[in-house]
Amino acid sequence: MPLPPLSLSLQIARFDGADAHRAALPRHHVARWLRHALGDNVQAAEITVRVVDADEGRALNRDYRHKDYATNVLTFDYSGAPVVAADLVLCAPVVAREAAELRKPLAAHYAHLLVHGALHAQGWDHETSEQDAVAMEARESAILATLGFADPYARPARKR
């Protein structure tokens, strides 16, 4: 089945270190990651991806979610299927810190968070119940596997 068309606006704010984030987010990769995250019931999508600094990320999270800290990804969904319209805002310093902590490439963490945000834009939610969280994580893992990325939820093997 062909992937749905995507109208993508990719914006990277001006901040120290922005070049590393720009390099991890080639437009054609971002478009591919997002298109793979769109469900079978999606005919088309209009998505803006904005990469911001900690101040803008914190202000948006505070103003819209009433949580006074910068988070990795915020999803602003305006319409669901069949035509998904959404803004995905990624906080560069948080994404970079998490990627380093997880010991994974910055691009791989961005791919995961973009898939995660795109699923939120389609109504998936991991905060409603444990069952919903498990389902969303499984969907993310399956999408990322088709894109050639490791399972972001795989638990490392214990040392014996």
Side-chain angles (χ1 to χ4, degrees):
M1 185 159 142
L3 296 173
L6 168 67
S7 173
L8 172 65
S9 174
L10 178 58
Q11 306 170 4
I12 300 178
R14 291 191 175 118
F15 55 87
D16 288 340
D19 288 344
H21 295 270
R22 188 173 288 107
L25 292 164
R27 182 181 176 77
H28 66 285
H29 288 181
V30 172
R32 182 171 177 260
W33 300 336
L34 290 171
R35 290 179 70 219
H36 275 82
L38 297 173
D40 293 338
N41 59 340
V42 176
Q43 295 174 2
E46 299 173 8
I47 299 176
T48 296
V49 173
R50 181 165 172 79
V51 180
V52 301
D53 64 9
D55 290 338
E56 187 173 345
R58 180 178 182 179
L60 288 167
N61 201 28
R62 182 187 60 237
D63 294 350
Y64 291 96
R65 295 181 64 226
H66 311 293
K67 297 182 180 188
D68 194 18
Y69 58 87
T71 190
N72 52 18
V73 61
L74 292 167
T75 301
F76 298 92
D77 56 326
Y78 307 112
S79 69
V83 179
V84 172
D87 293 338
L88 305 179
V89 180
L90 297 114
C91 183
V94 174
V95 175
R97 184 189 75 239
E98 290 176 349
E101 289 170 356
L102 295 166
R103 298 180 181 197
K104 62 196 277 189
L106 186 58
H109 197 41
Y110 269 120
H112 175 210
L113 294 173
L114 286 166
V115 167
H116 182 88
L119 290 179
H120 273 306
Q122 296 169 83
W124 291 78
D125 194 342
H126 54 87
E127 295 180 349
T128 49
S129 72
E130 182 65 25
Q131 183 178 1
D132 289 345
V134 168
M136 186 170 175
E137 288 176 5
R139 183 70 183 130
E140 288 173 40
S141 296
I143 293 165
L144 289 165
T146 67
L147 293 168
F149 292 104
D151 183 349
Y153 298 106
R155 306 294 181 241
R158 284 192 196 173
K159 292 183 181 179
R160 294 182 187 231

